[in-house]
Amino acid sequence: MKDFAGKIAVITGGGTGMGRELARQLVAEGCNVAMCDVSEAAMAETKRLCEVEKLPQGLRVTTHVADVSIEDHLKRFRDELAEQQTTDKIHLLFNNAGIGGGGSLFTNTREQWERTFNICWGGVYLGVRTFLPMLVKADEAHIINTASVNGFWASIGMNQAHTAYSSAKFAVKGFTEALINDLRLHAPHVKCSVVMPGHIGTSIVSNSRKVQSGDGSDRLNADEVALTRKRMVAAGVPDADKMSDEDIQATFAERARSFLEDAPTSAAQAARIILDGVKAERWRILVGEDAKRLDERVRATPEQAYDRAFYESFTQEVGWRLG
């Protein structure tokens, strides 16, 4: 697929971050977009940004509220798309939606763990299941599944568990690689790519908290404050056990701000790398220099990938401040 003009793209998680930037750049290239998200307001802003400059005649941008971990939501999204975009086929499927959280089998609840896993992995699986018939009906099509560097390196540091997200992203990577031959055998006109971003400037920290808690607030609840303080103590943060609840709130807010604003790669840059990778029909798309360096390091010394020295030398090299 050398260009996107006149095509129809589905984007999950289109309300913010890479999903929003994918929508904006696809629309700028003349592609119709149907996006879903749990936040109607966030999607409305994405649509507004897509329409800042008048859309070409006939180009459509539609928004659909859906939780990608719930199959009936995705089926409703598919049916609304077919009606509003007046089509029985799509050309691009970006399974982009994801959240963090549920890092530990010990300190997080089963509900938190499975919420993360079911969105990050289940949303990709159900997305492909739901939209595959519409992709097959197109003359050419491409499935783009967002994994992460945590799809080949299951860590964000020595002091914080990261099991739910990493497990999900490993599943996305393996699933997409297995799809290569499945598609080749049964629908050779449909291609697929796995996207593995490093640290991208998005609102995933704050958005994940909102989805996990279900209250839509930017503030931690009492249980989250206690867990955050416990993690900070374990990480050796000076006097973390003496910090007030408001100090903990401020620390979380700063982490969310820093993740968004201080990232080495912006969401817009990430979207451009992804779209260029699709045009080049690359099945493996690393996003960011940090992702490329981490990939090289893990491949070179896999047995040392979870040692403290590996993490410390890597974070020093690329400037990560996570974990």
Side-chain angles (χ1 to χ4, degrees):
M1 192 178 300
K2 301 306 180 186
D3 67 81
F4 305 128
K7 305 293 196 302
I8 301 173
V10 166
I11 305 171
T12 68
T16 59
M18 291 195 302
R20 171 176 287 176
E21 295 302 329
L22 285 167
R24 294 180 68 183
Q25 293 182 30
L26 284 164
V27 167
E29 294 193 37
C31 185
N32 299 285
V33 167
M35 74 186 85
C36 78
D37 201 285
V38 293
S39 172
E40 189 169 9
M43 284 191 292
E45 176 60 11
T46 298
K47 184 174 182 179
R48 185 192 70 79
L49 291 169
C50 289
E51 296 174 343
V52 166
E53 296 189 15
K54 190 175 180 181
L55 297 180
Q57 186 175 4
L59 198 67
R60 295 176 295 277
V61 179
T62 58
T63 61
H64 311 264
V65 176
D67 180 333
V68 297
S69 68
I70 302 173
E71 187 169 13
D72 284 346
H73 283 204
L74 284 173
K75 288 180 176 178
R76 185 184 65 217
F77 174 25
R78 177 200 61 200
D79 295 343
E80 290 176 356
L81 178 161
E83 179 180 359
Q84 295 178 29
Q85 299 266 356
T86 60
T87 186
D88 63 350
K89 63 178 70 71
I90 64 170
H91 304 87
L92 295 153
L93 171 62
F94 293 88
N95 284 309
N96 165 78
I99 63 167
S104 174
L105 289 171
F106 297 89
T107 60
N108 290 103
T109 66
R110 178 169 180 169
E111 181 182 30
Q112 290 171 329
W113 202 100
E114 293 183 356
R115 184 79 173 122
T116 300
F117 188 82
N118 290 341
I119 290 174
C120 291
W121 155 243
V124 172
Y125 168 67
L126 292 174
V128 172
R129 278 286 190 193
T130 301
F131 289 102
L132 189 59
M134 298 184 81
L135 290 159
V136 171
K137 285 184 179 180
D139 55 352
E140 59 176 347
H142 205 118
I143 299 166
I144 304 93
N145 296 330
T146 300
S148 165
V149 292
N150 290 131
F152 60 79
W153 187 64
S155 177
I156 53 171
M158 304 297 293
N159 297 316
Q160 186 170 331
H162 201 49
T163 59
Y165 186 85
S166 294
S167 299
K169 296 304 187 179
F170 265 77
V172 171
K173 179 176 180 290
F175 173 63
T176 311
E177 291 189 22
L179 268 180
I180 294 170
N181 207 49
D182 201 357
L183 292 170
R184 186 180 291 148
L185 290 169
H186 300 106
H189 64 297
V190 182
K191 312 300 180 184
C192 66
S193 299
V194 58
V195 175
M196 292 174 286
H199 180 188
I200 309 301
T202 72
S203 300
I204 189 171
V205 173
S206 56
N207 287 344
S208 296
R209 192 264 146 206
K210 292 176 183 178
V211 172
Q212 289 283 7
S213 66
D215 63 13
S217 172
D218 288 319
R219 290 178 61 82
L220 303 174
N221 60 39
D223 289 340
E224 291 167 332
V225 167
L227 182 57
T228 301
R229 180 181 286 108
K230 185 176 180 180
R231 286 174 177 165
M232 291 171 67
V233 170
V237 176
D239 296 324
D241 57 333
K242 300 176 183 177
M243 292 173 66
S244 69
D245 288 358
E246 282 305 312
D247 287 338
I248 298 294
Q249 294 280 4
T251 299
F252 175 79
E254 171 56 23
R255 177 170 175 257
R257 183 211 63 78
S258 177
F259 194 96
L260 171 63
E261 298 178 10
D262 299 337
T265 306
S266 70
Q269 290 169 328
R272 176 45 51 199
I273 292 168
I274 293 166
L275 295 179
D276 287 346
V278 172
K279 288 179 180 178
E281 292 192 358
R282 297 199 337 258
W283 70 263
R284 190 172 188 273
I285 304 173
L286 290 164
V287 182
E289 286 303 313
D290 52 349
K292 294 176 182 178
R293 293 181 190 181
L294 184 57
D295 179 57
E296 292 170 357
R297 278 175 168 252
V298 172
R299 288 174 178 274
T301 58
E303 292 291 334
Q304 285 77 52
Y306 300 105
D307 294 347
R308 184 175 295 276
F310 180 99
Y311 178 76
E312 290 179 348
S313 64
F314 175 71
T315 54
Q316 184 176 11
E317 178 185 348
V318 301
W320 276 14
R321 294 186 292 168
L322 306 178

